[in-house]
Amino acid sequence: MEKTGTVFDHTTLAVVLKSCSSFEDYYLGLQIHGLALKMGFSNDMVTGCALVDMYAKCKNVDDSLRFFDEMPERNWICWSAIIAGFVQNNCFVDGLLLFKEMQKQEVGVSQSTYASVFRSCAGLYAQRLGSQLHGHAIKADFGADAIVGTATLDMYAKCGNVEDARKLFNLLPNHNLQTYNAIMVGYTQSDQGFEALQLFRLLQRSGLGFDEVSLSVAFSASAVIRGLPAGRQLHGLALKSKFHLNVCVANAILDMYGKCGSITEACCLFDEMLRRDAVSWNAIITAHEQNGNTEETLSLYVLMLCSGTEPDEFTYGSVLKASASHQSSNCGMVIHGRAFKSGMGFQSFVGSALVDMYCKCGMVDKAIRLHERMEEPNLVSWNAIISGYSLQKHDDEAQKTFSMMLEMGLKPDHFTYATILDTCANLATVGLGKQIHAQIIKKELQSDVFIISTLVDMYSKCGNMQDSKLLFGKAPKRDFVTWNAMLCGYAYHGFGEEALGVFEDMQKENVKPNHATFLAALRACGHMGLVEKGLNYFYSMSNYGLDPQLEHYSCMVDILGRSGQVAKALKLIVEMPFKADDIIWRTLLSVCKIHGNVEVAEKAADSILQLDPQDSSVYILLANIYADAAMWDRVSTMRKAMRYNKIKKEPGCSWVEVMSEVHTFLANEKAHPNCEEIYKMLNTLYGEMNLTECESDVVLT
């Protein structure tokens, strides 16, 4: 146009600048700006607004604001352009401040301005401010406007207030496609998939049709409710429409099949996709990872790299999770190296996934070093460290890490509390457990079923069955974990009758038992000597689709053995569908001690020593069985065998919590700082016990 000598005006420049905005071509826009200055259009309102918009859309908000401030005259279009520019670049606070300044200048507000400020409120989760702006829009006579209404209900939905969003949706006189999409997105993000699908059906009946956003949201809603039949119907609808070739819709279908557990259909769709982006690869990788297909997850990651698609933080999150579940530290370290080279190694999301992977692979020290080097260690990373220590049975270190986390000012979540309560249960540190319980009450988290289950378990393992029972009785919701915690608590402390009562109540409530439930019920039968009832529970497991595991067989060996049926217990071990371990043989050896069955004891001891030749407890227990049977030559043989094989009895260990500090003791230990005082007190107690015994003998004579 310029070469032909055709004269252009401010409208021409505005159109060209809009094209620069669409392509985000900053350098061409800069040249057009220079041309506008040369032609004398720099002070023109239309050109000025187009320049403000161009700089903002090219992600250069500083230049946009600088030019805006230099404009001699500004109308509502210019204000809308600068506010929209800041909001589009996620500068939400600046966008709201500009809106405030616009109000001071008494410039009229348009639909687009309201849409921008509501988007700012949604981005900041500022519902209170959004509600005030909603009132402002109603006063400005924009309450019934479809564009402003859509932006407002989107704000409410993204702030987590789907109820008000739905009320506004119902009040709007006119709905467009974007209005339906906004409310459907709100319901889906709030995990209310059924409501989102009902709105999609309403949209179809409205005659407005649907677009790729509508379909994608409907597939996401099906994924939320694990509604595979609904998802398949939507897939058929997408195939009939032109949108099945859209990569965003295809990715949503892929994600739906993965979350519904239909891996075969997800793989078929992925193979048929003509175009794949990073989201497509992430969807199929995540689908395999969530369904426990570790090897396929890692194989697809390699294929993704071979295809030239660069992994993002979500890719690394999935493949590192797969490495953690597979406990493949070598694979995890290779992925770590790749993430580090891509510059994501110390980012919050990827860093947390790496910390979790190293912890689950037993490399807690490496996880801590990585945690300390992260840009911003977040709650997920701290939780991973605490959980890692807990998994490695380093409960005291987990509690120290929890204290450090609190000192850093981080607020624990449900997972943190549940993990640290588990460490309190393992160490029997009921004092710390009660402090955590107080924090949970203060934060009003006691209604969470996960937290309640952990508290019931913690109090029972610390021997406080009264509080455990109280919490169980007051629990607003109970799942099978809560029932199991109460049942196991009773069984562990020998309250067999109460344990079986809980088991029967659980069945009345139609709560499906699992392996842990039956294990606790069998232990209760063992404490009460209920052989027939134990056998009935053992054989009834198949009615619930459960196959007895090694632990259940061990309980049955204990029940039969304690009742004197040692031969039957041995027969049960021999007829098991899998190989016996040292624990079940040790259980049999223990009952042989009770009944003095030397023949079976020798078989059990021989089986244990084949599995673990250095097990000192076997030599000692078998020697005691020989001693009870007055077989002194064999007792001597066992002691000689221990000396010859250099086997020593492992010292007993105990611990006690005093003034919020855990003290650990080993048998004959002299390393404790208060060792002399402790032994002095023990000698005093021994003396008093001997004196009491002598006095009792005198009274009896």
Side-chain angles (χ1 to χ4, degrees):
M1 183 178 176
E2 191 177 7
K3 287 178 182 178
T4 59
T6 308
V7 179
F8 51 85
D9 58 6
H10 58 268
T11 306
T12 316
L13 287 175
V15 172
V16 176
L17 286 167
K18 191 173 182 181
S19 299
C20 296
S21 302
S22 301
F23 291 108
E24 294 184 12
D25 193 334
Y26 172 73
Y27 293 105
L28 179 58
L30 204 61
Q31 291 175 42
I32 302 299
H33 188 182
L35 185 62
L37 287 169
K38 190 177 179 181
M39 300 294 294
F41 289 122
S42 58
N43 293 330
D44 177 72
M45 186 81 72
V46 176
T47 308
C49 291
L51 282 165
V52 167
D53 181 64
M54 181 275 296
Y55 281 123
K57 292 222 169 104
C58 290
K59 296 181 174 55
N60 199 327
V61 288
D62 291 335
D63 283 351
S64 181
L65 184 61
R66 192 179 301 112
F67 184 79
F68 176 80
D69 289 336
E70 290 172 357
M71 288 179 70
E73 191 179 350
R74 292 169 291 203
N75 60 7
W76 65 269
I77 300 172
C78 297
W79 281 99
S80 290
I82 191 66
I83 292 169
F86 272 91
V87 174
Q88 285 161 7
N89 285 280
N90 297 326
C91 303
F92 302 124
V93 175
D94 293 315
L96 290 168
L97 290 172
L98 281 164
F99 178 76
K100 187 179 179 181
E101 184 61 32
M102 179 183 179
Q103 294 303 293
K104 286 180 182 177
Q105 299 288 333
E106 296 184 354
V107 179
V109 186
S110 66
Q111 294 170 320
S112 59
T113 314
Y114 277 123
S116 296
V117 292
F118 281 123
R119 184 179 165 187
S120 289
C121 294
L124 296 167
Y125 302 103
Q127 186 190 326
R128 189 175 175 184
L129 178 59
S131 298
Q132 292 173 10
L133 288 168
H134 185 191
H136 190 282
I138 292 169
K139 281 185 179 179
D141 204 24
F142 280 101
D145 185 84
I147 294 172
V148 176
T150 301
T152 310
L153 73 84
D154 181 63
M155 178 274 297
Y156 281 122
K158 284 179 179 170
C159 290
N161 191 347
V162 190
E163 292 78 14
D164 282 353
R166 184 57 189 264
K167 284 177 187 175
L168 182 57
F169 177 83
N170 293 336
L171 288 169
L172 285 172
N174 297 308
H175 299 134
N176 57 23
L177 185 56
Q178 286 68 39
T179 314
Y180 274 98
N181 288 348
I183 190 67
M184 283 165 57
V185 168
Y187 273 123
T188 305
Q189 289 177 344
S190 299
D191 292 333
Q192 298 183 45
F194 285 109
E195 289 78 2
L197 288 173
Q198 284 175 353
L199 278 160
F200 183 76
R201 292 190 188 100
L202 196 64
L203 171 63
Q204 286 180 289
R205 294 192 202 108
S206 70
L208 292 169
F210 54 85
D211 60 5
E212 64 273 18
V213 177
S214 318
L215 267 178
S216 299
V217 175
F219 282 116
S220 298
S222 301
V224 166
I225 63 169
R226 304 294 187 266
L228 185 59
R232 283 173 175 159
Q233 289 176 29
L234 287 165
H235 191 180
L237 183 65
L239 288 169
K240 287 179 181 179
S241 71
K242 61 180 180 180
F243 297 114
H244 71 282
L245 297 173
N246 183 284
V247 70
C248 295
V249 174
N251 291 340
I253 302 170
L254 199 56
D255 180 65
M256 179 273 297
Y257 280 130
K259 285 178 179 168
C260 290
S262 184
I263 290 295
T264 305
E265 287 172 287
C267 291
C268 288
L269 177 65
F270 182 77
D271 292 338
E272 290 171 2
M273 287 177 71
L274 300 174
R275 182 185 160 210
R276 299 170 186 159
D277 58 7
V279 179
S280 314
W281 284 100
N282 286 347
I284 193 66
I285 287 170
T286 304
H288 278 289
E289 185 275 315
Q290 288 175 343
N291 286 276
N293 302 332
T294 305
E295 290 183 9
E296 289 83 354
T297 304
L298 298 173
S299 298
L300 280 161
Y301 168 69
V302 174
L303 287 172
M304 180 183 183
L305 294 175
C306 293
S307 73
T309 308
E310 192 65 27
D312 60 13
E313 56 183 8
F314 299 107
T315 319
Y316 287 120
S318 294
V319 293
L320 287 168
K321 201 172 178 183
S323 300
S325 63
H326 198 52
Q327 294 188 341
S328 176
S329 57
N330 290 335
C331 184
M333 284 192 280
V334 171
I335 296 166
H336 184 184
R338 186 73 174 70
F340 182 78
K341 284 181 181 178
S342 65
M344 296 185 198
F346 299 120
Q347 285 181 8
S348 181
F349 186 83
V350 178
S352 299
L354 283 164
V355 168
D356 180 66
M357 182 273 296
Y358 281 121
C359 284
K360 285 178 179 169
C361 291
M363 303 169 72
V364 183
D365 292 338
K366 196 172 182 76
I368 290 167
R369 288 197 297 272
L370 179 62
H371 170 78
E372 289 170 350
R373 292 178 65 188
M374 280 172 62
E375 292 173 3
E376 290 181 19
N378 58 10
L379 186 59
V380 177
S381 177
W382 282 98
N383 282 350
I385 296 289
I386 294 168
S387 177
Y389 274 129
S390 180
L391 287 169
Q392 298 299 315
K393 305 299 179 187
H394 298 158
D395 298 302
D396 51 343
E397 292 297 327
Q399 292 182 358
K400 287 176 186 175
T401 307
F402 176 69
S403 298
M404 286 170 59
M405 189 188 97
L406 294 179
E407 287 171 10
M408 296 289 288
L410 272 82
K411 294 180 180 179
D413 63 359
H414 299 69
F415 183 82
T416 322
Y417 283 128
T419 308
I420 209 67
L421 282 169
D422 196 44
T423 66
C424 294
N426 294 336
L427 293 174
T429 50
V430 71
L432 178 60
K434 285 182 176 180
Q435 291 176 38
I436 302 298
H437 189 182
Q439 282 189 32
I440 288 165
I441 293 169
K442 199 173 181 180
K443 294 190 175 183
E444 299 181 350
L445 298 174
Q446 68 270 28
S447 60
D448 183 85
V449 68
F450 188 48
I451 294 286
I452 282 290
S453 303
T454 318
L455 281 166
V456 169
D457 182 64
M458 185 272 295
Y459 278 118
S460 67
K461 283 182 179 173
C462 291
N464 192 340
M465 289 305 300
Q466 188 176 354
D467 283 345
S468 183
K469 183 183 176 183
L470 185 68
L471 276 166
F472 179 80
K474 288 185 174 181
K477 290 180 183 178
R478 297 175 191 153
D479 62 1
F480 73 92
V481 180
T482 322
W483 285 95
N484 282 356
M486 193 73 248
L487 176 57
C488 291
Y490 277 131
Y492 182 80
H493 290 287
F495 297 106
E497 193 174 336
E498 290 84 351
L500 294 179
V502 171
F503 182 66
E504 287 170 8
D505 290 341
M506 186 177 180
Q507 289 177 310
K508 287 174 187 175
E509 294 284 335
N510 293 319
V511 179
K512 188 180 178 182
N514 62 1
H515 285 100
T517 317
F518 278 104
L519 188 62
L522 290 172
R523 280 177 180 164
C525 292
H527 282 299
M528 297 177 72
L530 301 172
V531 181
E532 290 303 318
K533 202 160 196 174
L535 284 166
N536 286 336
Y537 286 151
F538 182 76
Y539 290 116
S540 70
M541 288 179 70
S542 58
N543 298 335
Y544 297 93
L546 301 170
D547 294 322
Q549 296 175 336
L550 207 56
E551 294 87 350
H552 303 95
Y553 279 98
S554 184
C555 277
M556 284 311 303
V557 167
D558 184 62
I559 291 169
L560 291 167
R562 285 179 185 274
S563 68
Q565 302 178 58
V566 179
K568 279 190 177 180
L570 177 60
K571 186 183 177 185
L572 185 67
I573 294 174
V574 173
E575 292 177 352
M576 284 194 314
F578 31 72
K579 190 177 178 181
D581 65 353
D582 58 330
I583 296 171
I584 198 166
W585 285 117
R586 200 176 287 110
T587 304
L588 183 63
L589 186 60
S590 299
V591 295
C592 288
K593 171 77 171 64
I594 296 168
H595 297 287
N597 193 318
V598 177
E599 184 184 351
V600 176
E602 287 176 336
K603 287 181 181 178
D606 184 56
S607 298
I608 297 168
L609 291 174
Q610 285 180 23
L611 295 166
D612 185 5
Q614 298 299 311
D615 190 341
S616 61
S617 65
V618 178
Y619 290 93
I620 294 162
L621 198 54
L622 189 58
N624 290 338
I625 292 168
Y626 286 143
D628 291 342
M631 301 169 72
W632 304 111
D633 55 335
R634 295 196 183 183
V635 172
S636 178
T637 303
M638 292 305 297
R639 288 177 177 171
K640 285 177 183 177
M642 284 185 74
R643 283 195 297 271
Y644 180 78
N645 294 316
K646 296 179 181 179
I647 294 168
K648 292 183 180 180
K649 182 184 176 183
E650 290 184 14
C653 177
S654 63
W655 57 88
V656 64
E657 183 186 8
V658 180
M659 302 291 288
S660 301
E661 186 179 354
V662 178
H663 297 264
T664 307
F665 301 96
L666 293 171
N668 300 316
E669 182 189 31
K670 294 185 179 179
H672 195 277
N674 303 111
C675 178
E676 291 184 12
E677 295 174 44
I678 292 167
Y679 278 111
K680 189 176 179 181
M681 178 56 71
L682 283 172
N683 289 330
T684 304
L685 291 170
Y686 290 147
E688 289 182 5
M689 287 163 68
N690 290 329
L691 183 63
T692 305
E693 189 177 350
C694 291
E695 287 174 353
S696 299
D697 291 341
V698 171
V699 170
L700 288 169
T701 54

